Amino acid sequence: MTAVLARSRRRVLPLPGSLGAYAVRRLGLGVAQILVVAVVVFLLTDRLSGDAAVVIAGDDPDPAVIAALRTELGLDRPVWERLGAWLGGALTGDLGTSLITGRAVTAVIADGLPVTLLLAALTLVVLVPLSLALGMLAARREGGTADRVVTATTIGLYSLPEFALGVVLVTVFAVQLGWLPPTGIGVAEPAVFVLPIVVLLARPVCSLSRLVRAGLVDALAADHVAHARRLGFSPRAVLWRHALPGAVTPAVQQLARTTDWLIGGVVVVEAVFVLPGLGTALVDTITARDVPVVAGLALVLATGTVLLNLGADLLARVLTPVAS
Amino acid sequence: MRGRLLPGLVLLAVPLLVTVVGPLVAPAFSGRGVAFGSTGVFGGDFVGRDVLGQVLRGGASVVGVAVLATLVTYAVAVPLALLAATTARRAVDEAVMRPLDVVVAMPSMLLVLLLVPIVPGSALVVAAVVALINLPDVVRIVRATALAVAAGTTVEALRMQGEGRVRVGAYVLRSVRRVVLTDVGTRFTGALYLVASAAFLGVGLSADDPNWAVMVDANRDGLFVNPAATVVPALLIIALSVGANLTSDRLLGGAR
């Protein structure tokens, strides 16, 4: 009953041609979501055992020194006061300064962003055509050899930890064969990104290509596709124009979920290949209890999540205007 | 479409066997040599311990925590989902489902990195955090299935007979059992992914703990000297993940 209700409501609310209105509404929701994530992260980082003063004091854990450091860093102020000050600054584009290094948080983000953006963008650029190709290959003849191989591989490799795959690939292609650099240390050539992107692709390709396959198998058996065939459209036109658009909607929606994996994957992959991106910065600053930097990085990651989600949802709406 | 069961089962059996039998025979491989030396079958690790001995001890904290996290997920998710699906009050349904949306909005790796270190060194905390991250998906799947059953004629008949909430709930639970079973493999590998990745990133465990994922991280520096110290534990994790996926698909996939 609830399912029926939800569906009819979805059909009524967005007026025809209101893609822009929908985008604006989703963007508003997204901004709220980003704020919630940033606040939660700020409070959580603050709750971690030990704080930046203890980390800076390091080998000299003299209580008096730590207390002085706390006063200097403003850590003796109540957490709500610091959160308020940080949020106020964030609205004007000032994310504060690192407690450890004193650098502006925006500078830390600017340092790591290019590497992470490049990794994510290259992964997405390869991911979509590769998943489509694998899904179409498998769906062309259901139960055939190609289908069995693709399906078994994508089921088996689903949610394989990136670091395990990463070190095995490094051992084969960097240590044994010497074809590719093992890490990003001291290397400034495109080859650095080959293994990280292969590793990042493994997880989303499995789920996306399976959804493309499932959608396409259904679509190819659907009445409207059979009708298009009877009308004499070429097999290629039937596949690309009639079967595919409707068939990939679940995969496009899954693309939104992929963002979450991509963020997790980027953190791990940057650690495996020692790449100086946002993920490395995040792990380092959490260890150092550097609250403003962690919150700033979370803000960037949450923004990325919201934007990619929005992109995927808009794409799904364009492909199937009725279903969304 | 069903493939063969054996390859997946073998892949799954190897790491499980090492986990269960390993700790019993590990004391025989406790020799110490130089860092990344060539003593023992797989050589030495970053402080010279026998890699074979560490591998034999390192399964429990990966497999055990992942299994525990999966169990906790279902123990919390199924009652919540049944409550949300069978309640007559919309407010209860909303009260269960909306907080889960907040969890979904948080990048899961960020949650792991922030929540696990709150109580350092506790496997229970790792399991709880991983369970929390997996919770929304399981609750949604079980709730959606239970909703269809709860709106069906059998439940209506049970209600008209005057059966209590417990009997009706038990019937709905039996009906969703199949969906839960099909889902178990995916949840386990999902939990394994997070548990292992967290250990690799160094949250929740110390670098000395015998743990396959920790070993991969700690021994990476010696990849050129003694690759076995890194690759053997990594391959065990891969075998576990791939084996669990293939086995659950072959064994339980027919229920779909």
Side-chain angles (χ1 to χ4, degrees):
Chain A
M1 216 181 93
T2 315
V4 175
L5 270 178
R7 194 168 181 169
S8 57
R9 197 174 51 206
R10 248 184 294 159
R11 276 193 186 154
V12 172
L13 260 183
L15 296 164
S18 68
L19 200 64
Y22 174 73
V24 168
R25 202 174 61 220
R26 282 292 312 271
L27 212 56
L29 262 172
V31 171
Q33 198 181 343
I34 293 169
L35 277 177
V36 170
V37 171
V39 168
V40 171
V41 168
F42 193 96
L43 296 177
L44 279 179
T45 321
D46 192 71
R47 291 253 57 80
L48 292 174
S49 55
D51 60 20
V54 178
V55 175
I56 297 172
D59 296 333
D60 178 30
D62 181 357
V65 174
I66 291 176
L69 276 168
R70 280 206 180 114
T71 315
E72 193 190 320
L73 296 171
L75 288 174
D76 52 350
R77 285 185 297 157
V79 62
W80 294 108
E81 207 181 309
R82 283 181 285 133
L83 175 63
W86 182 79
L87 274 180
L91 291 178
T92 58
D94 174 19
L95 293 175
T97 52
S98 161
L99 295 176
I100 308 288
T101 60
R103 289 187 66 205
V105 175
T106 41
V108 178
I109 291 171
D111 277 352
L113 199 58
V115 172
T116 303
L117 265 186
L118 195 62
L119 269 180
L122 286 174
T123 306
L124 280 175
V125 164
V126 184
L127 172 67
V128 174
L130 184 64
S131 311
L132 269 181
L134 284 175
M136 286 164 79
L137 182 70
R140 212 171 47 177
R141 216 155 57 78
E142 202 190 350
T145 315
D147 187 17
R148 283 213 303 274
V149 172
V150 170
T151 304
T153 314
T154 49
I155 287 175
L157 296 185
Y158 186 77
S159 63
L160 190 66
E162 285 101 355
F163 74 91
L165 181 63
V167 295
V168 171
L169 290 181
V170 165
T171 312
V172 175
F173 292 101
V175 178
Q176 303 291 336
L177 297 171
W179 292 352
L180 294 162
T183 65
I185 302 173
V187 196
E189 46 184 302
V192 173
F193 287 103
V194 175
L195 286 180
I197 287 165
V198 170
V199 172
L200 272 178
L201 279 171
R203 217 175 155 207
V205 157
C206 289
S207 80
L208 284 186
S209 61
R210 279 169 71 188
L211 286 171
V212 171
R213 176 194 171 276
L216 208 51
V217 165
D218 285 349
L220 287 174
D223 289 342
H224 75 278
V225 173
H227 190 64
R229 273 201 205 99
R230 280 194 294 271
L231 286 175
F233 286 112
S234 72
R236 178 176 296 184
V238 169
L239 178 66
W240 285 92
R241 282 219 301 271
H242 298 272
L244 204 57
V248 294
T249 317
V252 172
Q253 275 155 356
Q254 178 71 17
L255 199 60
R257 290 296 295 280
T258 308
T259 328
D260 182 49
W261 296 355
L262 214 55
I263 289 174
V266 162
V267 172
V268 174
V269 162
E270 285 180 4
V272 171
F273 295 96
V274 203
L275 298 168
L278 294 180
T280 309
L282 185 68
V283 175
D284 290 348
T285 48
I286 286 179
T287 316
R289 310 287 185 254
D290 202 340
V291 184
V293 186
V294 174
L297 289 169
L299 201 66
V300 176
L301 295 180
T303 310
T305 312
V306 167
L307 286 180
L308 276 170
N309 268 315
L310 182 66
D313 282 353
L314 288 179
L315 190 60
R317 267 180 78 94
V318 172
L319 284 171
T320 44
V322 186
S324 52
Chain B
M1 194 207 61
R2 311 286 295 274
R4 280 176 302 156
L5 175 65
L6 197 63
L9 210 55
V10 172
L11 277 178
L12 181 62
V14 172
L16 288 186
L17 218 62
V18 173
T19 302
V20 176
V21 184
L24 304 176
V25 288
F29 306 98
S30 302
R32 263 197 113 105
V34 290
F36 301 120
S38 52
T39 45
V41 186
F42 296 136
D45 73 354
F46 69 110
V47 286
R49 289 173 301 196
D50 191 332
V51 169
L52 181 59
Q54 291 297 104
V55 163
L56 290 171
R57 288 185 198 93
S61 64
V62 178
V63 182
V65 177
V67 169
L68 186 66
T70 314
L71 290 178
V72 173
T73 309
Y74 283 109
V76 179
V78 171
L80 273 183
L82 289 185
L83 176 70
T86 55
T87 182
R89 271 183 294 243
R90 195 178 175 82
V92 176
D93 190 9
E94 295 285 324
V96 171
M97 300 308 291
R98 293 294 79 83
L100 295 177
D101 290 345
V102 178
V103 179
V104 175
M106 294 281 294
S108 33
M109 196 60 83
L110 200 60
L111 270 184
V112 170
L113 289 173
L114 289 174
L115 287 177
V116 172
I118 289 181
V119 184
S122 168
L124 284 175
V125 173
V126 179
V129 171
V130 170
L132 176 72
I133 292 168
N134 274 330
L135 202 60
D137 277 344
V138 180
V139 172
R140 278 181 191 171
I141 292 170
V142 177
R143 175 179 168 274
T145 319
L147 263 181
V149 179
T153 43
T154 317
V155 168
E156 203 182 332
L158 282 172
R159 289 225 168 96
M160 283 164 79
Q161 283 171 26
E163 300 287 0
R165 294 188 61 100
V166 176
R167 285 291 297 274
V168 174
Y171 171 78
V172 176
L173 183 62
R174 274 199 307 274
S175 319
V176 300
R177 188 182 49 189
R178 192 149 247 198
V179 172
V180 171
L181 266 180
T182 325
D183 190 50
V184 158
T186 320
R187 287 315 140 203
F188 171 72
T189 49
L192 175 69
Y193 170 87
L194 287 172
V195 167
S197 299
F200 172 79
L201 289 173
V203 288
L205 290 164
S206 88
D208 289 330
D209 287 331
N211 173 300
W212 294 336
V214 172
M215 286 179 75
V216 172
D217 181 39
N219 294 329
R220 268 191 303 153
D221 294 337
L223 206 54
F224 280 88
V225 192
N226 182 14
T230 310
V231 172
V232 172
L235 284 178
L236 282 168
I237 292 172
I238 292 176
L240 185 64
S241 177
V242 175
N245 274 330
L246 290 179
T247 308
S248 69
D249 179 68
R250 300 292 185 251
L251 278 183
L252 312 166
R256 265 173 219 151

